[in-house]
Each structure stands twice: as structure tokens, then as C-alpha cells.
């Protein structure tokens, strides 16, 4: 099957078909380009999604610890790798399919244009040969008619008796001339006809088949190229399937790594304060003086006044330590972590000791290496000056001494915390026996009892039995003002820890609303407490860093 033999008279149809083939190739290239853009946008959106939900880690304390969080971050990492594979698909399609299609389409246009120009030139040459043959034919036909007229004129004069001999002779000469010209044009027409027939045979059996064969080969190559691009389009996707499968397997493994028991234990480890629950409240009998005599009542009253602590005074002190909603505003972190509950303080100190021990081990290894290098320099002076290592050795020794002092200091704090934690149960048992008042789980972070009203109504402790954290609470400096506010509505402040205010009253802001709807404020006389955020108009200082 050949276009040259089967489609010898379909030049215009082949012209349209080859143009359609190139248009289809370019249309498919446009499809691949849009698919590449989709892959690139998909990968970009996936990366932005991963970036949006990845944690911004500014310190080790913010690193994810719960297995569910770690699993989620592992899934984000796998999704980021998956996005990378989508980018690989886009790059492979762009290089192997789209780029190849665009180059091939350009070459195809050039080749098609050349073949069609050759076909048009061959057709023009054949048309020129036909025109020459047709002209010679028409000329031969005209001369034959003229010769026929000359013969008729000669015969008429020759049969006419009245015609002169000169007229007859002239007509005869004219007949001979026309006959001679007709013979010459006949020979010319025959030559042109033979030439045209030869060129026509060559055109339809040699030239055109060759041109159409080249067009056929070009179109078949285009079809083969499309087939290769279809295959490359699929291979670009298939190549990344193993890696994508690994990404999905990683997500499944991350899901399987979630351990609810471990997360629950982490919650305990993270928030355990180490305090003991509060003891029972003692019964206070206010009816004793009713049944006593006046003298006995006077003596009892004097004894009671001498031995009992003023409840208002102690409650006032407790009010300074117990905060609304069980929290005290965070102050600056102390070096010995005394602002933390005992259990959390113990963990922090243990972590710091472990870090210091690791640093000490590094410095000790560096000291040993420097000493070995110094020995080598002393034995082989040409390798280096032993004195040049002395400053580094001295610096290392200073670092080792400093680290040992730090370790000793932190170990002393740790021993203190462990001693207090171990002895807290004994103290609580002793206080229960003597019916002393326990004021709840107090710490520098504030009360750890969930019910804030229970903390406030707790009876005062006896003098001389304050918690080890009392001094820290009583010695706290007042918090700096970070702004001011104006009361929009009046507030009575009956609850413990709140601050009463009148409409239009101006107060200092010492702590912003933490999301619970309350703001901590202070009057000019130093009285502090919490007020509803919705009752005030707050104005913060621009240069304030907060509480």
C-alpha cells in the first residue's frame, strides 16, 4: 500500500491530511503542557500545605513528644516526599514528552513544506509541458485549415475557364506554401506531444510517487512519535510509583506507631507536680463560749487569742498566693527552676545535669586529644610547637572546672528537691495527726487545686508552718503595668481574687487576658485582682513586653 500509486491524484487531500497530523501533534503537546502545569501546581500546593502544618521549632521544649504528633509530622514528611515525586513526574514529562514533541513538530513542518514544494514544482512543470503541446496542436490545426482553404481556392481557379494562367499559378504556389507550413507544424505538434507524454508518465509514475512516499514516511514517523510519547507519558508516572508506594507505606507505619498508653504516660510526666493532695479540714467549734461561765469564757478567750492565728491575716496572705483559676502569672525562669513544681523541677534539673555531663565528656575527650598531640610534638618537634597548644589546654581545663561546678550545683539542687519530695508525705502525716490546716497544692506556679473557690475558703495555717514556697510568694515584686483600662460597666467583685470597680474608673493593666475572659488589673493604691475583659476598655503600651 503506497500513497504514490493509490493516491496519485489526491495532492490537495494529502496536503490537508499532513497539516491535520501536525495540528494533532501540537494539540497533544498542549495537552502534555497543561498536565505538567497541573503536576507542578499540585506539588507546590502540597509543599505549601506541609509547610503550613509543620511545627516551627524554636526550642527543644516545643519538639513534638506525643506519638500522635510524631506520627502526624512523619506523615507530613512523607507527603513532602510525595510532592517531590509529583515534581519528578512533571520534569520527566517536560523533558521526555513535551520538549521532544515541540522539537519534532518544528522539524515536521519544515519537512512537509519541502515535500509539498517539490510536488507543486513537478505539477507546474507538467502543466508547462501540456501548455506547449497544446499550443503546437492549435497551431497545427490552424495551418491545416489554411492549407485546406488554399487547396479549395486553387481547384476553383483551375476549373474556372475565365481564370488567367497567372491566377492559377499564384493559387498553386499558395497551396504549396500552406501545405509545407502544415507539415512543419505537424512535426512540431508530434514532437511536443511525445515530450508531454513522456513527462506525464514520469510525473505520475516516478516524481509524484516519490514525493508521496516521502510524505507517507513522514506521516508514519509522526504516528510512531506519538506512540512513543504516549508510552513516555505513562512511563513518567510509572517510574515514581515504587517511591510513592514507599511514601504511602511510611504513612501507614506512622499511623501504626501511635501509642495511646505512651501518650497518656507523657501527659502524666509533663504535668505531674509532685505535690500531695490537701488534707482534711479540722472542725472548729464556735459554740464553746456559750456554755462557759463569764470567768471561764474570759480565760478561754485570752488563751484562744494567744494561741490562735488571726484568720483574716492568714487569709490575706493566702490571697496573695492563691490565684483565680489556679494559676499565677508566669515570671522569669529561675536558674534552679524553683518556679516549677517539684516533679517538673526535678526533671528539668536531671535534664540539665545530663547535658552538662555530655559537655564535660566532650571537654575531657578534647583535653585527652590535646595531651596526646602535645606528647607527639614534644617527641617530634618538627611536627609542631608544644607551647602552641597550651592556651587551648588552659581553656579546656577552665571549661572542665566550670562544668564540674555547674554539675555539683545542680546536683545539690536535685538532692534538695528529692529530699523535699520524699519528706512531704511525712510532714503531711504529722499535720493530719495534729489537726493542722493544709492549704492545698501550693507552688510558685500557683494553686494546683482545680476548684478555685475551695482554695480561697481554706482556713489559715498556723504561724511557723508555712510551706517552703511561702517566702517566695510573699517576696514577689509587684508586676509592672503594661497599660491601662477604663471600666465600661460596674463590677462588684464578690468572688475571691476579683477586683471591684466602678463605671468610668481607671485601672492599671498588669496581665493581659489569656483567653479565659479575665484581665488582671491594679488600683493606684496597690490593690490587685481580676476583672472581666468585656467590662473594660483596654489600652496597652506600645513598648511594653507584657507581664
Amino acid at each position: 500500500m503506497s500513497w504514490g500509486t493509490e493516491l496519485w491524484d489526491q495532492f490537495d487531500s494529502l496536503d490537508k491530511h499532513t497539516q491535520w497530523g501536525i495540528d494533532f501533534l501540537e494539540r497533544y503537546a498542549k495537552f502534555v503542557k497543561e498536565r505538567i502545569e497541573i503536576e507542578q501546581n499540585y506539588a507546590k500546593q502540597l509543599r505549601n500545605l506541609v509547610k503550613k502544618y509543620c511545627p516551627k521549632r524554636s526550642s527543644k521544649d516545643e519538639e513534638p513528644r506525643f506519638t500522635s504528633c510524631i506520627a502526624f509530622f512523619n506523615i507530613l514528611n512523607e507527603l513532602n516526599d510525595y510532592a517531590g515525586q509529583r515534581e519528578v513526574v512533571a520534569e520527566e514529562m517536560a523533558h521526555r514528552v513535551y520538549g521532544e514533541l515541540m522539537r519534532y513538530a518544528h522539524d515536521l513542518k519544515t519537512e512537509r513544506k519541502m515535500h509539498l514544494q517539490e510536488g507543486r514544482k513537478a505539477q507546474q512543470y507538467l502543466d508547462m509541458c501540456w501548455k506547449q503541446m497544446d499550443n503546437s496542436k492549435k497551431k497545427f490545426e490552424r495551418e491545416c485549415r489554411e492549407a485546406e482553404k488554399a487547396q479549395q481556392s486553387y481547384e476553383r481557379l483551375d476549373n474556372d475557364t475565365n481564370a488567367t494562367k497567372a491566377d492559377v499559378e499564384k493559387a498553386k504556389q499558395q497551396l504549396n506554401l500552406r501545405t509545407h507550413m502544415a507539415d512543419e507544424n505537424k512535426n512540431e505538434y508530434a514532437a511536443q506531444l511525445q515530450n508531454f507524454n513522456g513527462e506525464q508518465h514520469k510525473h505520475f509514475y516516478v516524481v509524484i510517487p516519490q514525493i508521496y512516499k516521502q510524505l507517507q514516511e513522514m506521516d508514519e514517523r509522526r504516528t510512531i512519535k506519538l506512540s512513543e510519547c504516549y508510552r513516555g507519558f505513562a512511563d513518567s508516572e510509572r517510574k515514581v510509583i515504587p517511591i510513592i508506594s514507599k511514601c504511602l507505606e511510611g504513612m501507614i507505619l506512622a499511623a501504626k506507631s501511635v501509642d495511646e498508653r505512651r501518650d497518656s504516660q507523657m501527659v502524666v510526666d509533663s504535668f505531674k507536680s509532685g505535690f500531695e493532695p490537701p488534707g482534711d479540714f479540722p472542725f472548729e467549734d464556735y459554740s464553746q463560749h456559750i456554755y462557759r461561765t463569764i470567768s471561764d469564757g474570759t480565760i478561754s478567750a485570752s488563751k484562744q487569742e494567744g494561741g490562735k492565728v488571726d484568720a483574716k491575716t492568714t487569709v490575706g496572705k493566702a490571697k496573695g498566693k492563691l490565684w483565680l483559676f489556679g494559676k499565677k502569672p508566669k515570671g522569669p525562669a529561675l536558674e534552679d527552676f524553683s518556679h516549677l513544681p517539684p516533679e517538673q523541677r526535678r526533671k528539668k534539673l536531671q535534664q540539665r545535669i545530663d547535658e552538662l555531663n555530655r559537655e564535660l565528656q566532650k571537654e575531657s575527650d578534647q583535653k585527652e586529644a590535646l595531651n596526646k598531640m602535645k606528647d607527639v610534638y614534644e617527641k617530634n618537634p618538627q611536627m609542631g610547637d608544644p607551647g602552641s597548644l597550651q592556651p587551648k589546654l588552659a581553656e579546656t581545663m577552665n571549661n572542665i572546672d566550670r562544668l564540674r561546678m555547674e554539675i555539683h550545683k545542680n546536683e545539690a539542687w536535685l538532692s534538695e528537691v528529692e529530699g523535699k519530695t520524699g519528706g512531704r508525705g511525712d510532714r503531711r502525716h504529722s499535720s493530719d495527726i495534729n489537726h493542722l490546716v493544709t492549704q492545698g497544692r501550693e507552688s510558685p506556679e500557683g494553686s494546683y487545686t482545680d476548684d478555685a473557690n475551695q482554695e480561697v475558703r481554706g482556713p489559715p495555717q498556723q504561724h511557723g508552718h508555712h510551706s517552703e514556697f511561702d517566702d517566695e510568694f510573699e517576696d514577689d515584686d509587684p508586676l509592672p503595668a503594661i497599660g491601662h483600662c477604663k471600666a465600661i460597666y460596674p463590677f462588684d467583685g464578690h468572688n475571691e481574687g476579683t477586683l471591684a470597680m466602678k463605671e468610668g474608673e481607671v485601672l492599671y493593666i498588669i496581665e493581659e487576658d489569656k483567653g479565659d475572659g479575665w484581665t488582671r488589673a491594679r488600683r493606684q493604691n496597690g490593690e490587685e485582682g481580676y476583672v472581666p475583659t468585656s467590662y473594660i476598655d483596654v489600652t496597652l503600651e506600645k513598648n511594653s513586653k507584657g507581664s
Side-chain angles (χ1 to χ4, degrees):
M1 181 182 62
S2 173
W3 288 6
T5 57
E6 303 291 337
L7 304 175
W8 60 272
D9 58 342
Q10 297 297 322
F11 181 82
D12 293 337
S13 298
L14 293 179
D15 183 5
K16 294 179 181 178
H17 173 73
T18 51
Q19 182 61 44
W20 171 86
I22 294 176
D23 293 341
F24 182 78
L25 187 73
E26 291 179 336
R27 182 176 176 82
Y28 178 69
K30 185 178 179 181
F31 161 78
V32 175
K33 181 181 179 182
E34 292 182 2
R35 170 66 190 277
I36 291 170
E37 292 175 353
I38 291 173
E39 290 290 347
Q40 290 174 342
N41 292 332
Y42 180 46
K44 182 179 180 180
Q45 290 176 0
L46 285 179
R47 290 196 182 277
N48 290 337
L49 182 67
V50 171
K51 184 178 180 181
K52 178 180 178 181
Y53 285 94
C54 270
K56 297 177 176 61
R57 302 176 185 174
S58 58
S59 64
K60 293 183 178 180
D61 294 337
E62 298 181 6
E63 292 183 359
R65 297 173 297 166
F66 297 104
T67 57
S68 56
C69 296
I70 295 174
F72 176 62
F73 297 142
N74 290 336
I75 289 175
L76 289 178
N77 291 331
E78 296 294 345
L79 187 61
N80 192 54
D81 295 340
Y82 176 81
Q85 294 308 307
R86 303 319 306 177
E87 291 176 346
V88 171
V89 170
E91 292 174 0
E92 186 71 13
M93 286 183 180
H95 174 71
R96 184 177 176 182
V97 181
Y98 179 71
E100 187 66 23
L101 282 174
M102 296 306 295
R103 287 191 296 269
Y104 190 76
H106 180 267
D107 296 340
L108 210 61
K109 288 179 181 179
T110 304
E111 183 180 358
R112 173 181 174 275
K113 182 178 180 181
M114 180 184 68
H115 294 325
L116 293 179
Q117 284 178 351
E118 291 177 354
R120 291 190 180 96
K121 286 180 180 179
Q123 187 65 40
Q124 289 173 1
Y125 180 71
L126 183 64
D127 292 342
M128 183 189 67
C129 293
W130 179 84
K131 191 176 290 185
Q132 290 176 354
M133 183 271 297
D134 187 61
N135 290 335
S136 62
K137 176 183 176 181
K138 290 179 179 179
K139 190 175 181 181
F140 170 61
E141 182 182 5
R142 187 172 60 251
E143 290 298 331
C144 286
R145 285 196 298 268
E146 292 293 333
E148 186 177 354
K149 289 179 181 180
Q151 184 177 3
Q152 291 176 358
S153 178
Y154 170 71
E155 289 177 352
R156 186 177 65 252
L157 290 174
D158 188 37
N159 294 327
D160 189 4
T161 56
N162 297 323
T164 60
K165 186 177 181 180
D167 293 336
V168 173
E169 192 65 29
K170 184 177 179 181
K172 184 178 180 180
Q173 290 178 358
Q174 186 68 23
L175 174 61
N176 292 333
L177 177 62
R178 289 298 178 185
T179 302
H180 177 71
M181 292 180 67
D183 291 338
E184 288 182 353
N185 283 286
K186 178 181 179 180
N187 294 332
E188 178 68 19
Y189 168 62
Q192 290 294 335
L193 180 62
Q194 184 179 5
N195 179 62
F196 173 74
N197 289 333
E199 292 296 334
Q200 182 176 255
H201 184 274
K202 180 181 178 182
H203 177 79
F204 289 110
Y205 289 93
V206 179
V207 179
I208 289 298
Q210 183 66 26
I211 293 174
Y212 285 8
K213 181 182 179 182
Q214 293 173 348
L215 287 173
Q216 182 180 0
E217 292 175 351
M218 180 194 73
D219 192 69
E220 290 176 352
R221 290 198 309 272
R222 176 191 63 82
T223 306
I224 293 173
K225 177 60 69 174
L226 279 173
S227 175
E228 292 175 353
C229 290
Y230 294 160
R231 190 179 300 110
F233 186 84
D235 287 340
S236 300
E237 186 85 21
R238 187 172 60 182
K239 283 181 180 179
V240 301
I241 287 178
I243 303 178
I244 290 177
S245 299
K246 290 183 179 179
C247 294
L248 298 177
E249 290 174 3
M251 294 181 186
I252 294 174
L253 291 176
K256 292 180 179 179
S257 67
V258 177
D259 187 352
E260 67 279 5
R261 295 290 183 182
R262 184 178 174 187
D263 285 359
S264 297
Q265 185 60 41
M266 285 185 181
V267 174
V268 174
D269 295 340
S270 299
F271 302 113
K272 183 179 179 182
S273 65
F275 293 111
E276 295 293 335
D280 296 335
F281 285 97
F283 176 76
E284 298 184 18
D285 190 359
Y286 295 102
S287 63
Q288 292 177 0
H289 67 281
I290 299 176
Y291 306 105
R292 294 173 183 172
T293 61
I294 297 175
S295 60
D296 293 338
T298 306
I299 296 173
S300 302
S302 61
K303 289 182 179 179
Q304 187 175 359
E305 288 175 1
K308 187 175 179 181
V309 181
D310 187 5
K312 293 182 180 180
T313 306
T314 310
V315 170
K317 289 185 178 180
K319 183 178 177 181
K321 297 182 291 183
L322 301 178
W323 303 92
L324 195 64
F325 314 116
K327 287 189 177 180
K328 177 179 181 291
K330 291 185 178 180
L334 301 177
E335 183 183 7
D336 60 352
F337 300 113
S338 59
H339 60 288
L340 297 177
E343 184 67 20
Q344 302 300 322
R345 183 186 181 193
R346 183 187 65 78
K347 290 180 181 179
K348 288 289 186 181
L349 289 172
Q350 187 62 52
Q351 290 177 3
R352 180 188 287 174
I353 290 172
D354 294 339
E355 292 176 0
L356 292 173
N357 282 325
R358 286 193 291 270
E359 294 181 11
L360 179 61
Q361 184 62 38
K362 288 182 182 179
E363 295 293 337
S364 300
D365 294 340
Q366 184 175 0
K367 174 188 173 184
E368 184 178 354
L370 290 172
N371 286 328
K372 288 182 179 180
M373 189 180 297
K374 184 178 179 181
D375 294 339
V376 172
Y377 285 175
E378 289 176 351
K379 294 177 182 179
N380 301 295
Q382 66 275 11
M383 296 182 66
D385 182 15
S388 62
L389 301 176
Q390 195 61 35
K392 189 65 177 176
L393 272 171
E395 181 183 354
T396 304
M397 291 296 297
N398 290 334
N399 291 337
I400 291 175
D401 294 339
R402 177 181 57 80
L403 289 172
R404 285 176 177 169
M405 291 176 62
E406 288 289 332
I407 291 172
H408 180 72
K409 180 171 61 175
N410 283 273
E411 285 177 347
W413 288 335
L414 181 61
S415 300
E416 177 187 352
V417 174
E418 291 176 346
K420 288 181 179 180
T421 305
R424 187 175 299 276
D426 298 335
R427 290 197 302 272
R428 183 192 171 202
H429 180 68
S430 174
S431 64
D432 290 341
I433 294 174
N434 293 291
H435 301 287
L436 295 177
V437 178
T438 305
Q439 200 167 358
R441 293 170 290 170
E442 298 173 0
S443 75
E445 283 294 321
S447 174
Y448 285 82
T449 304
D450 294 333
D451 189 355
N453 294 327
Q454 179 182 349
E455 297 168 296
V456 173
R457 67 169 177 265
Q461 290 182 332
Q462 293 185 0
H463 291 292
H465 294 277
H466 290 297
S467 171
E468 57 270 24
F469 300 103
D470 286 355
D471 294 336
E472 180 181 345
F473 275 99
E474 294 172 359
D475 296 337
D476 280 345
D477 293 330
L479 293 174
I482 60 174
H484 62 275
C485 67
K486 184 178 181 180
I488 305 175
Y489 309 104
F491 178 65
D492 51 12
H494 289 322
N495 294 331
E496 194 68 36
T498 59
L499 182 65
M501 61 182 181
K502 299 178 182 178
E503 183 178 357
E505 184 178 2
V506 178
L507 305 173
Y508 292 112
I509 298 296
I510 57 176
E511 182 183 349
E512 295 182 62
D513 187 353
K514 301 299 183 181
D516 51 15
W518 294 87
T519 301
R520 192 176 175 197
R522 181 198 297 144
R523 282 199 178 93
Q524 293 184 358
N525 60 5
E527 186 179 2
E528 298 179 359
Y530 287 87
V531 295
T533 306
S534 58
Y535 281 42
I536 58 175
D537 182 13
V538 179
T539 303
L540 298 178
E541 300 294 338
K542 295 183 179 179
N543 59 352
S544 174
K545 297 183 179 178
S547 59

